[in-house]
Amino acid sequence: MARIRYGARTAAEITAARTASSRLPEIWSTGVVAVWESDPDAVAAVLPPPLEPTGRPLVRATISKVELPGYPLGAGSVAVAAAHHGVEGWYPLVMPMTHERALTGGREVFGEPKKLGEVTVDRDGPVVRAALARHGIAFVEVRGAVSGPLPAPEPIRKTDFYFKFLPAVDGSGLDLDPVLVHCLRHEKVRRLERITGEVVLRESMYDPVADLPVHALVELTLGEKTTDQQGRVVERVSAESLLPYIHQRYDDPQQLLDGPPERSA
């Protein structure tokens, strides 16, 4: 009998898959990082409790291309500075990815707000253009020119905050209280250059990062880096406290309420 591919895998196959995934080589990406000061009230407004603002209302956009074996990947993020019980880090609002494979693990394992999108990183001599786009709208665009090298920083540990949850099957909210995840990222940079340019935010009903205006650019760089990550659940939060922010995860907020249709007698 031919193997039924939807059938159960053996313990040996599961162990082999786990071992292979734990031995991934360093994967280097080339990308643009833009950090700017924004409106403090706007930054505070997007943070679900128990996350709190830090002492500086920062927004960070990362726009990268990754040469994965077999296929290139575009990966991006727009995040705001946040703190949780003395730990400072970043709370991503949207993470466009160009392949479904990059969505699955991040969303299902860590609770990352990943969505399919278009990610562009182009360099022509000193001229650089990088953009994050969805639904035909480049809602974040960096335009500029490389103006000189920067010293590569020492390896650093960064923290991202995610909420992992499942919408309720009856459309009433969430199945269980969500968990707050601290995702620890160990980042190494081997090449870094300064960009002189600008960050353009465009209006999008699907990705409204234009609500976080650029008041002052803090950092604009082009670099090559590699990152590994480990996540851990730090606490459960109440579904009621997170529900007002659930729409951040969906293009159509009504999607969260898509429960089974009511039956009439």
Side-chain angles (χ1 to χ4, degrees), residues 78-89:
V78 178
V80 297
H84 176 244
H85 293 176
V87 177
E88 292 198 358

Side-chain angles (χ1 to χ4, degrees), residues 107-141:
R107 288 180 67 101
E108 296 182 8
V109 178
F110 295 102
E112 295 173 329
K114 289 184 173 180
K115 299 178 179 179
L116 283 174
E118 299 173 18
V119 181
T120 304
V121 181
D122 290 326
R123 179 174 182 175
D124 184 4
V127 178
V128 175
R129 178 186 178 273
L132 301 176
R134 298 181 67 251
H135 301 286
I137 302 168
F139 58 92
V140 177
E141 182 178 3

Side-chain angles (χ1 to χ4, degrees), residues 5-98:
R5 287 168 290 178
Y6 274 126
R9 290 189 173 182
T10 66
E13 289 173 321
I14 294 172
T15 300
R18 287 175 177 168
T19 301
S21 65
S22 67
R23 295 177 179 174
L24 290 175
E26 288 186 343
I27 298 173
W28 293 85
S29 65
T30 300
V32 168
V33 175
V35 179
W36 64 90
E37 283 195 2
S38 191
D39 180 82
D41 292 334
V43 170
V46 303
L47 292 174
L51 299 184
E52 297 179 337
T54 64
R56 198 174 183 190
L58 297 179
V59 183
R60 181 192 67 189
T62 61
I63 310 170
S64 302
K65 59 181 180 181
V66 189
E67 296 300 330
L68 290 175
Y71 66 95
L73 169 69
S77 171
V78 178
V80 297
H84 176 244
H85 293 176
V87 177
E88 292 198 358
W90 297 91
Y91 173 61
L93 296 167
V94 61
M95 301 176 70
M97 302 283 144
T98 56

Side-chain angles (χ1 to χ4, degrees), residues 31-33 123 146 148-154 187 189-195 219-225:
V32 168
V33 175
R123 179 174 182 175
V146 173
L150 291 169
E154 292 296 317
E187 180 179 286
V189 178
R190 66 184 180 188
R191 185 165 175 257
L192 195 64
E193 297 175 284
R194 181 186 300 107
I195 296 175
E219 174 186 347
L220 196 56
T221 59
L222 175 68
E224 296 178 5
K225 67 181 180 181

